[in-house]
Amino acid sequence: MLIRVPPSSRALESEVTPESVYLSRRKLMQGSLALAAMAAMPGWARAEAQGAYADVEPAKAPGWFDEKLAHAHWQAITAEGESITPFKDATHYNNFYEFGTGKGDPAANAGKLQVEPWTVMVDGEVGKPGRYSIEDLVKPHAFEERIYRLRCVEAWSMVIPWLGFPLADLLKQVEPTSAARYVRFETLVDREHMPGQRSGFSLIDWPYVEGLRLDEAMHPLAFMAVGMYGRVLPNQNGAPLRLVVPWKYGFKSIKSIVRISLVDEAPKTTWERIAPNEYGFYANVNPQVDHPRWSQATERRLPSGLFSPNVIDTRMFNGYEEVADLYAGMDLVRYY
């Protein structure tokens, strides 16, 4: 399994992986020594791994997902970086309006969604358009583990270990033409299994649409996730294929993708259409630009509670300063 660590994730000195954990990880990479790697961890690391994973319910993984290898790798790296958000929080507190507007609605309503078989239409300015099976898109790429901060525009955040591959690798696979300037993404429409799409109160004109500039999409941090916490993606988190763009607010990381289009003009995204004064195309995390109805200077890191709100300062680009060059010379107040 290929592992790449983003060059500027900006972990604090206190968050550096202990040498014993690093050496255990190297042993795991060199052979099937998952149990040995786990045993070599210091006690606090083993406790964190077991605690974050204790409430993971096994799910049937599709044939293209190597669950055993993914799970072993997750055990070996749990202690890296910032504290991992517990699995239960990451899978039971999220937005996926196709299943309802409440934070618990996705977990409650997504179980019946059919994610096998799954295809993705790739079209527009590409040399290899067509309808690709999930296997066709995933198998050419080695899984990587990316522990990313996820910052919601609603001012709460998590730290999640994703499994997947760089979005740039998928785009190279379909060969963008010289006319391609943007990437448009589209979520599944399935009113039978997605009750939020049947709601007469929904303001969304389905399907949900998101987009990136092509250079953003090609940045090494942009990621296509097929798993999390060493397991296949749960339905409520965007199975079987979702985007993760860690320097942008979470609504940009579109879930359950069924169409990817390379286009020459910026696509009109869902939240731009609904409230353009509140949700711009770029949606970069920026503590200096408040939402019209609340401050973005701080965030509530989950888990949190009434007596332990766990409020922290928000960082520019969610702490991923290596993307700053993408926006050199841009007015990030105007292009919010």
Side-chain angles (χ1 to χ4, degrees), residues 16 29 61 75 78 94 135-136 152 189 204 211 243 277 297 312 323 327:
V16 173
M29 293 173 61
Q75 287 179 322
T78 303
N94 63 318
E135 293 84 355
D136 292 336
C152 182
V189 174
I204 296 177
L243 177 66
N277 64 315
I312 62 175
V323 303
Y327 311 103

Side-chain angles (χ1 to χ4, degrees), residues 182-203:
Y182 295 87
V183 187
R184 179 186 183 275
F185 303 89
E186 191 173 298
T187 292
L188 175 72
V189 174
D190 182 353
R191 289 180 172 84
E192 179 181 357
H193 299 110
M194 292 176 150
Q197 294 179 337
R198 301 195 302 267
S199 172
F201 297 99
S202 174
L203 299 176

Side-chain angles (χ1 to χ4, degrees), residues 32-230:
S32 55
L33 299 177
L35 294 179
M38 193 68 173
M41 284 184 178
W44 65 266
R46 290 198 301 274
E48 181 182 348
Q50 294 164 0
Y53 218 76
D55 53 0
V56 178
E57 298 179 3
K60 183 180 181 294
W64 49 264
F65 187 88
D66 191 338
E67 185 176 22
K68 184 178 295 185
L69 183 60
H71 189 186
H73 184 211
W74 155 244
Q75 287 179 322
I77 69 154
T78 303
E80 285 194 6
E82 300 178 13
S83 297
I84 303 295
T85 300
F87 180 84
K88 187 173 182 179
D89 289 281
T91 56
H92 287 75
Y93 188 97
N94 63 318
N95 293 322
F96 198 169
Y97 287 168
E98 283 81 350
F99 296 106
T101 57
K103 292 294 185 287
D105 287 347
N109 298 328
K112 295 182 179 179
L113 180 67
Q114 301 299 310
V115 297
E116 291 186 80
W118 192 274
T119 61
V120 178
M121 173 60 71
V122 179
D123 58 10
E125 298 293 342
V126 293
K128 293 183 177 179
R131 184 171 294 279
Y132 289 78
S133 70
I134 187 73
E135 293 84 355
D136 292 336
L137 292 177
V138 171
K139 283 188 174 180
H141 314 291
F143 282 179
E144 302 179 17
E145 182 99 34
R146 299 283 183 90
I147 302 177
Y148 280 160
R149 306 175 195 97
L150 174 68
R151 172 53 156 89
C152 182
V153 72
E154 297 170 344
W156 54 265
S157 63
M158 301 182 180
V159 178
I160 297 176
W162 303 101
L163 282 165
F165 54 92
L167 172 58
D169 289 355
L170 185 152
L171 295 177
K172 292 173 186 176
Q173 182 181 344
V174 299
E175 299 180 359
T177 72
S178 59
R181 297 181 59 216
Y182 295 87
V183 187
R184 179 186 183 275
F185 303 89
E186 191 173 298
T187 292
L188 175 72
V189 174
D190 182 353
R191 289 180 172 84
E192 179 181 357
H193 299 110
M194 292 176 150
Q197 294 179 337
R198 301 195 302 267
S199 172
F201 297 99
S202 174
L203 299 176
I204 296 177
D205 182 16
W206 309 105
Y208 189 91
V209 172
E210 260 306 334
L212 297 173
R213 225 169 50 192
L214 183 59
D215 59 342
E216 294 178 311
M218 298 296 289
H219 193 278
L221 290 182
F223 200 62
M224 299 299 289
V226 297
M228 57 190 293
Y229 294 82

